[in-house]
Amino acid sequence: MPGVRSIALQEATLKPLSKSKVAVQFQTFYILSLIPIKAPPTARGELDITYLDEDLRISRGDKGNLFVLSR
């Protein structure tokens, strides 16, 4: 949706699985970008990167979520 932005602050470890897929293990989530909450060991997933250039990355998570990230 044009003009809609969401900021989610989190720390995670990424491990390449293939040329276009990474495993994600979340370490910390931040409430209001200020309050750190330790992520449980089950906070993990995979991202399939479907498009990538210098300004844009589009990926789909293993739970079906679509992520569009821009610089």
Side-chain angles (χ1 to χ4, degrees):
M1 296 188 328
V4 175
R5 290 181 178 230
S6 174
I7 298 174
L9 185 58
Q10 57 213 358
E11 294 176 8
T13 302
L14 304 177
K15 179 182 174 185
L17 299 176
S18 72
K19 184 177 176 183
S20 65
K21 189 174 277 195
V22 294
V24 181
Q25 177 65 59
F26 293 98
Q27 308 296 323
T28 309
F29 299 107
Y30 291 87
I31 298 173
L32 301 174
S33 298
L34 299 171
I35 304 165
I37 303 294
K38 184 172 169 45
T42 56
R44 62 180 181 253
E46 294 181 358
L47 284 175
D48 186 23
I49 300 164
T50 56
Y51 180 81
L52 178 65
D53 69 17
E54 292 160 3
D55 298 315
L56 186 68
R57 180 176 72 202
I58 300 173
S59 53
R60 186 167 299 274
D62 60 327
K63 310 265 188 309
N65 296 326
L66 181 66
F67 300 94
V68 179
L69 302 140
S70 65
R71 288 187 184 233

